[in-house]
Amino acid sequence: MQEKQQHLQRETKEWRKIQHRELNKLRSAQHHLLFNVGAYLAISVIEFYLAEVGHSQTLRADALNNLAGIISAVLLLVGIFIARDIDDDDLMGQPLPEDIQKNGQRLQLTRFHYETVFTLITGIVMIAISLNVIYGGFKSLMHPELQEVPQPITLLGAGVAMVIMIIVWWMNRLAGLKLQNAALTAASQDSLSDALTSLGTLVAIGGALLFKVTWLDGVASIIVGIFILVAGIKIFKESSLNLADYFDPKAEMQFRTAIENNPQVKKVEDINAHYSGNMVTMDVIIAVDAHMEVKDSYRLGEEIEAQMRRQFGIVDTDVMVVPA
């Protein structure tokens, strides 16, 4: 009994350290995403205004693309806010128990899923906006009498947007790699796509002005829409796979090999790793000597859990022991 109590105390202490570290990462991610919202808002206002004044459909499409960036960043902020809320007694349920035995750890890991859910919604929003932009481009090409060469001032909007988006992408990329944060990774992919589309917008408007080609503006807006569509599908795919409990089989094979290297483990019968936001948890069934005592199998489970945390950063490993 005393040994079990000491183990629970160690587990609780270890979990609090992991929880504190992950919450600090989410707090840093929030600050970066707030910067994203400000940058996207400024770009969208500038581009919408110059698109109306300069009669550029491509610049309008780019403005819509950056509007999607605002929506994406806000959705990700909401997801992170819910994931970070450990004292919630009025929005999503009851406060998280301090004691691991009362499922405080499980509840927190479940809340970390909200970040992935809102990342998924971000992908859907990007896909919807891209389809609207592509439709507008084709509609423009079908009515050539409505087409006109953009005004030179639209080049300014595209140029400013491109420079700002390159800065935003670089900051998101560095922060995403440092914090290992899915929301910032999604924001980084989004902002890189936005920087490329702004560059394409700049080239398209410049080409239309230089060669006086009216249809180039519509074609460029379709290309911008396709860029948004590809980025949205990629984000949607990755986040939906995470929510569906898909895990890289190669990584699971590494976990299996590491466990089977333990001389007391006869075989790993089953292994399932899961994402909880950016954190990885795992369920594993191992076969051991049928005559192994209960206390020895218990200690083996603790040994494997510590190894997975130390070697692969898996925050929680549930080990089930069966006789070989």
Side-chain angles (χ1 to χ4, degrees), residues 123-124 126-127 228-238 240:
I124 295 173
M126 291 177 66
I127 291 170
I228 305 170
L229 180 63
V230 171
I233 290 174
K234 185 176 181 181
I235 291 172
F236 176 83
K237 179 183 176 182
E238 290 177 356
S240 59

Side-chain angles (χ1 to χ4, degrees), residues 52 110 202 283 286 318:
E52 291 299 317
T110 300
L202 184 66
D283 300 317
I286 59 172
D318 289 331

